[in-house]
Every structure is written in structure tokens, then in C-alpha cells.
Amino acid sequence: MGYLIKVSPQDIVTSRFAISPLMVTKQALWLLSGRWEAGVWRSWIRQAREPYGRLLVERPGLGPMVGLFRGGHYNIDFPAPPPDGVNTSLETELATVRATPAAQAHREITRNLEGMPRPAGAVLEVLFSPDVVGLFADALEAVWTRIVSPIWPRVHAILERDVVQRAGRLATYGWAAALDDLSPRVRWRPEGVIEVTPAEQEVALEGRGLLFVPSPFVSGISSYLEHAWPYAISYPARGTGIPHETPDGLATLIGRTRARVLLELAVPATTSQLVRLLGLSLGTVGGHLAALRGAGLVTANRVGRGVLYHRTALGDSLVSPSAPRS
């Protein structure tokens, strides 16, 4: 569903960006179950299918929960509540899930099932059991532990990099800059409206702001604008599709690690973000950045207390020779 979201000047102050390990875990299940295309995560999904298959057997809530997934329609809300901030822990989010009253969970499941084929009796027994909230939470915790947590340091660095840049744009330049390249479905209208197409419903923020939650897995926009929720939008994080393998020619020219640094700077990043993205030491990353700056491939500027590194036009042309030069 699309929306016309009316905003006020106060909404810039109250809007925020957040990172959710639990939302990422649930979205990983959409990939693992084949509901979404794996895209740049295809290799990781192949490796994760075996532990995912074992969890389907071991965790009785996992199959019934995944069976509720459907595109273009309502999906249950309680297994992935909006996070409170950038560094909300999985444990905190799971505690919120486990506090969901069973009656609320059953209402959401009933709504989710509308228009779907009737599940098998054993599945319905799980969905409408008094323990369904705990069964779903246990399943999500197991998927996080065995499948998602090993890649979380890199995923978190991707999401954090996106959050820092977009939050800075919103605070400094306003809505148009913050929403730029968020999604083809989202645009800022000068009369004070965020349009999420196809716009079918109007929502007024009235000073409550929006919660923006980036994801490494989604390819489009997911809106959480139910009255019982903080108003939130999940969107694709910039930099997710940066290739992990460096072109041999570029690696031969400047070295494989420096080529990786240059590729990652398709999206500007700090030294500490590059450390987490590449799994290297601070000194190693700093040395490569100094060499790239000396060659005119990278530049830096101070943002607040940190230093943000960017590729120069020469760096862009080296990575993508066909790219237009500024």
C-alpha cells in the first residue's frame, strides 16, 4: 500500500533512524524461504539453506510463521516491532516480542490469514495455541544465532553507514535530501508531503515523526503506519550490493585490499566503518586510505567528530572506467 504522509517542521526533530537485528532476521527468512529473490546474497543463502532446514525441524514455530509470509498484503506485526534506536539489541527486541499478549497475536494471525488458503490442522494448532508468541520468538532467536549473527558485523556496518549519512542529510538539508535515492517509490513533495506510491491513504505525522529502518535484504519499501505502532518505513540500505570480489585488473594495479577499500567507498564511510566492513585492523585500513589519498583516488572531510572518506572522480573512473568523469 502507498501513502501520502503529511509532515510538519517538528517532524524533522522527532524523526530518527534505527537499526533492527530482529527485522533483519525476519527479512532473512523471506530470502531463505524463497519468498524474495536472493540477489547479491545468493551465495550466502546457499550456505544457509542447510541450517535453515534443520531449524524447520527443530523449531515448531518456524514453519507456521514463514507460512504466513505474503507479499502485497498484511503480515503479522508482533514478531518484528520497530526498534528504539540505532543500537537496539536483539535481546531487547525479543523481550518486546515475548511480551505480546496471546490474544493480540491471534488477532494479527487471523487478519494475516484472510484470503489465504486454509493451513493444515497441525499448523493451525500452532498458530492459535496459547504459546504461539513464545514459539515464534524462539524460532527467530534460533535463526539469528545460527544463520544471521555470523554476518552481522558486516551487515551492521552497512546499515550504520547508511543511517549516519541519511540522518545527517535530514538534519542539515531537510526531507528532500534525506529521501533522495531512498526508493523509486518515495519522493518529497514541496507542499510538505512524503509520497509513497501508489498513494492510497493519507497519514498525518502531527509532530510524531517517522522511524526509518534500513535493511540489507529488502529491494523495496515496507511501511508500518498502523495507529498502534510508531510510524516507520523500512528501505534498502545503500552499499548492500557492493561486490565482495575485486576485479583482477584493479587488484593487480593497486593491490587486492586497496581495491576492496576503493570498492566499499562507492558509499562514503569512516575508518571504523571500513574496519567492520572489511574485517581488517584499524592500522591496516588507515594505511591503505593514506596510500589511496596520496594517489588522488580518495578524499576526506570532517563530519562532526569523525572523518568521512569519499572516492574522487579519478577513483570512480578507476573502479568503473565507463562512468562519466566530473
Side-chain angles (χ1 to χ4, degrees):
M1 177 183 289
Y3 293 89
L4 293 176
I5 306 171
K6 299 180 180 180
V7 304
S8 66
Q10 177 64 22
D11 289 310
I12 288 183
V13 178
T14 53
S15 291
R16 61 200 189 281
F17 290 76
I19 293 173
S20 171
L22 189 56
M23 278 191 176
V24 169
T25 300
K26 188 179 176 185
Q27 290 162 350
L29 285 172
W30 280 77
L31 298 183
L32 288 162
S33 63
R35 303 303 203 279
W36 288 347
E37 290 291 328
V40 298
W41 298 100
R42 191 171 291 107
S43 176
W44 175 69
I45 290 297
R46 281 198 298 268
Q47 298 172 22
R49 288 206 186 281
E50 183 180 346
Y52 173 64
R54 290 198 300 268
L55 287 176
L56 284 172
V57 176
E58 297 171 10
R59 298 292 175 176
L62 182 55
M65 179 172 60
V66 169
L68 292 172
F69 291 174
R70 57 178 182 167
H73 297 278
Y74 173 78
N75 285 266
I76 52 174
D77 293 321
F78 75 87
D84 293 330
V86 171
N87 293 311
T88 303
S89 69
L90 181 86
E91 292 73 20
T92 298
E93 292 187 296
L94 281 175
T96 301
V97 174
R98 293 184 189 279
T100 306
Q104 176 188 332
H106 293 158
R107 284 195 301 271
E108 292 186 12
I109 290 168
T110 299
R111 180 180 172 188
N112 199 141
L113 288 172
E114 292 174 0
M116 297 182 68
R118 181 178 176 81
V123 173
L124 284 173
E125 186 175 339
V126 171
L127 293 177
F128 290 99
S129 74
D131 302 322
V132 65
V133 171
L135 292 173
F136 280 17
D138 290 345
L140 288 164
E141 185 172 19
V143 172
W144 162 264
T145 301
R146 297 199 200 177
I147 298 175
V148 178
S149 63
I151 65 166
W152 182 246
R154 174 173 175 81
V155 167
H156 186 270
I158 290 171
L159 302 180
E160 182 185 60
R161 176 171 60 178
D162 183 280
V163 162
V164 168
Q165 290 181 58
R166 289 196 190 277
R169 286 189 200 174
L170 178 62
T172 306
Y173 303 110
W175 288 105
L179 300 176
D180 181 44
D181 77 7
L182 193 75
S183 165
R185 289 183 55 210
V186 178
R187 70 184 182 99
W188 171 250
R189 290 176 24 176
E191 63 268 30
V193 171
I194 300 170
E195 182 178 7
V196 182
T197 59
E200 302 169 4
Q201 185 175 331
E202 288 190 4
V203 173
L205 297 181
E206 298 176 340
R208 291 169 292 192
L210 266 176
L211 179 66
F212 292 96
V213 187
S215 169
F217 298 138
V218 300
S219 58
I221 290 289
S222 297
S223 302
Y224 302 90
L225 297 169
E226 297 282 334
H227 291 298
W229 285 53
Y231 288 166
I233 288 178
S234 179
Y235 64 91
R238 295 177 68 209
T240 299
I242 293 172
H244 294 192
E245 297 299 324
T246 57
D248 290 336
L250 182 61
T252 301
L253 181 64
I254 64 174
R256 193 162 298 278
T257 303
R258 287 178 187 170
R260 283 287 313 281
V261 173
L262 202 58
L263 286 170
E264 286 295 347
L265 290 178
V267 180
T270 65
T271 306
S272 60
Q273 288 167 354
L274 288 169
V275 165
R276 291 191 290 274
L277 286 164
L278 299 170
L280 300 173
S281 71
L282 185 64
T284 299
V285 171
H288 289 307
L289 285 170
L292 292 169
R293 287 184 71 184
L297 303 178
V298 166
T299 187
N301 64 288
R302 181 164 293 279
V303 179
R305 297 181 180 179
V307 176
L308 201 61
Y309 290 87
H310 310 250
R311 279 201 316 234
T312 63
L314 179 59
D316 285 340
S317 65
L318 192 63
V319 171
S320 304
S322 61
R325 300 181 184 182
S326 60

